[in-house]
Amino acid sequence: MDLGESTFRLFIAKVGKAVLMFAAITYFARVLGASQLGSFFLFFAAQGLLSIPADMGMRGALEKRLSEGENFGEKLSSALLFKLVLLVFVSIGIYLARDWLNGYFGANLAMLLIVAVVGRELSLLYIQAVRGELRVAETAPIELGRRLVWVVIGSVLISNGYGVEGVIYGLIISSAVALVWAYAKCSIRLERPSLEQMRSLLAYSKFDIVTSVGGRVYQFMDTAIIGFFLAQQFVGAYEVAWQVTLLVLMLSSSISLTIFPQISRWSSDSAVDQIGSTITTALAFSVFASVPALVGAIIYSEEILQYIFGPEYVIASLVLIVLMFEKLVQSVNDIVGISVRAINRPDLAAKATVISIGINLLLSPILILTVGFVGAAIATGFSWLVNTALHTRYLRQSVTFEFPVRLFGWYTFASVIMGVSLLAIKSAVPVTGIAILVIQVAIGAVLYVAVSLVVPDIRRQIISPALSMLSSRFTGTA
């Protein structure tokens, strides 16, 4: 598996998905209105939360076990059988709770939820099966295609009067397309399920589910707690700031998805040296964009929120800065966290997740009541700093790797040069609209890259390998 090629393709797919998501939500919000769009987001959240009992860590376990090699057909069929049993129970639960769910959604969507959960889970299972075959790059167009199908079909249907149901139909059809596509890509043919393979999958999934739950709690906890203590306007402003900072993770999350199956295979072969060097390289790339993004947020947080989303969101300017720091930490966590799981220590990953979630649950209410909704961001940032420290400690117990501290220092140096220059530009030409904001941010990006090109360490270890990979990608050379 070509790690550089896979990362590039996943990164491009993530950029495309982010653009499509932004455009879609903007269009849906204008056409549907707040009430119907709210019903969709409740439906979407329910689908995401139900993935916990509908999966129980099985997707991650399947990718891990397939990446180890041997008995592919038995492993996939055993995982599929387990998944189908879970989906039957979840579907029955949704059916029994359909009246309550319809009232919660504000529309009759419970039966569509069954179809949506089943389609999503089966499509994701096969996507991770392809990744488990060390063909991560081939899943990138599937993920992007899923998002494109949803946006196009959802837009067409709501423009023809289908309302919120049209968006959900688009979501269901996109999962069906992704399932067929991933099934066609998967080279594994089903065999008779094996009790031995089922035990092997469950031995991994029982810990991996904790990490999965942690991800879901991480995604929804802040909003839920803010909504409990503060007015709705603070929830909306916090979510906007959160969505802006998520863009920073596209690079590190692409790298983490790429290296997981490869490290898993090396772990099975006891190739510890290769694992360590790959983690060191991945860490060097993971924060290349995160450091300047933090500096940019410090300078432009108010302008980003005011001119892109509206003046009512400026109250989250400090939240945006704190969350951008949290995403810098998360960029490192994406690498060390996935590596702990890849070396077959989901128990340690689960331990780190439980501790960090406990810290967040304890600190968030206290800080929200004392310093306002920025307290939720502070609690999240601190809890993920602890999570990253724990994952790093656990990973060092089995693998020797280095944090590229010298490179991190150079990133900071280049970011400071960029920041000082932007402060001077902003002072001379104040930001009074989105056009000036975009121009100044673009100038900042150019300055950061220019300084990076001058620094020998960054040029040799980051810029040159990236350019070489892009060159071979577009010229077709090896």
Side-chain angles (χ1 to χ4, degrees), residues 120-133:
R120 179 181 186 272
E121 288 303 310
L122 292 179
S123 64
L124 290 178
L125 183 75
Y126 265 94
I127 287 173
Q128 292 200 248
V130 176
R131 290 175 182 162
E133 295 182 85

Side-chain angles (χ1 to χ4, degrees), residues 30-72:
R30 292 176 178 176
V31 176
L32 294 177
S35 178
Q36 288 195 77
L37 189 64
S39 295
F40 169 72
F41 277 122
L42 290 173
F43 180 95
F44 195 72
Q47 178 191 244
L49 290 172
L50 285 170
S51 70
I52 296 173
D55 182 61
M56 301 294 286
M58 185 53 61
R59 293 198 307 266
L62 176 64
E63 182 179 353
K64 167 61 181 171
R65 295 308 186 216
L66 288 178
S67 66
E68 294 172 348
E70 300 180 349
N71 301 314
F72 296 110

Side-chain angles (χ1 to χ4, degrees), residues 163-449:
V164 67
E165 288 87 355
V167 184
I168 294 172
Y169 290 146
L171 196 66
I172 293 171
I173 294 171
S174 70
S175 290
V177 170
L179 173 59
V180 173
W181 195 343
Y183 177 83
K185 282 285 185 183
C186 184
S187 63
I188 304 171
R189 292 298 166 254
L190 296 177
E191 300 177 12
R192 183 186 296 273
S194 162
L195 183 59
E196 178 185 357
Q197 297 303 330
M198 185 72 75
R199 287 172 176 166
S200 175
L201 289 165
L202 290 175
Y204 188 91
S205 68
K206 68 182 179 181
F207 294 110
D208 199 53
I209 186 176
V210 178
T211 305
S212 175
V213 170
R216 295 296 174 186
V217 173
Y218 169 66
Q219 183 176 358
F220 296 113
M221 184 195 307
D222 287 354
T223 301
I225 296 177
I226 293 170
F228 183 78
F229 288 105
L230 302 176
Q232 194 68 26
Q233 69 183 99
F234 293 100
V235 176
Y238 190 94
E239 277 295 310
V240 165
W242 179 273
Q243 292 299 320
V244 171
T245 61
L246 282 179
L247 299 174
V248 177
L249 295 179
M250 289 189 292
L251 179 59
S252 61
S253 61
S254 299
I255 296 172
S256 68
L257 288 174
T258 303
I259 65 175
F260 177 83
Q262 185 63 73
I263 290 179
S264 176
R265 174 64 59 85
W266 284 333
S267 178
S268 298
D269 297 336
S270 299
V272 180
D273 291 341
Q274 289 175 294
I275 294 174
S277 63
T278 298
I279 292 172
T280 299
T281 302
L283 286 169
F285 277 92
S286 67
V287 300
F288 178 72
S290 305
V291 179
L294 174 58
V295 174
I298 293 172
I299 298 172
Y300 291 109
S301 61
E302 291 188 10
E303 289 80 5
I304 289 171
L305 294 171
Q306 178 176 353
Y307 295 113
I308 296 180
F309 300 100
E312 65 270 30
Y313 296 102
V314 174
I315 57 174
S317 57
L318 183 56
V319 170
L320 177 58
I321 295 171
V322 175
L323 287 178
M324 196 65 81
F325 169 78
E326 180 265 330
K327 294 304 184 291
L328 171 59
V329 175
Q330 184 69 18
S331 297
V332 175
N333 188 277
D334 281 345
I335 306 304
V336 294
I338 204 75
S339 298
V340 171
R341 294 174 55 227
I343 62 173
N344 204 29
R345 293 308 306 267
D347 55 324
L348 295 179
K351 182 179 179 181
T353 299
V354 169
I355 292 173
S356 62
I357 288 177
I359 291 173
N360 205 344
L361 284 172
L362 177 65
L363 288 182
S364 283
I366 296 173
L367 291 178
I368 288 172
L369 290 174
T370 54
V371 299
F373 73 144
V374 70
I378 295 172
T380 297
F382 180 74
S383 66
W384 278 92
L385 187 62
V386 172
N387 186 288
T388 303
L390 288 173
H391 273 106
T392 301
R393 178 186 175 187
Y394 298 148
L395 187 59
R396 287 192 184 278
Q397 294 174 0
S398 302
V399 180
T400 300
F401 67 97
E402 298 294 333
F403 270 98
V405 177
R406 184 181 176 90
L407 271 178
F408 289 179
W410 283 121
Y411 295 159
T412 303
F413 170 77
S415 299
V416 169
I417 296 297
M418 176 199 75
V420 171
S421 302
L422 287 177
L423 285 173
I425 294 172
K426 184 181 177 183
S427 177
V429 184
V431 177
T432 56
I434 190 169
I436 297 176
L437 174 63
V438 170
I439 291 172
Q440 292 192 12
V441 170
I443 291 173
V446 171
L447 285 171
Y448 179 72
V449 173

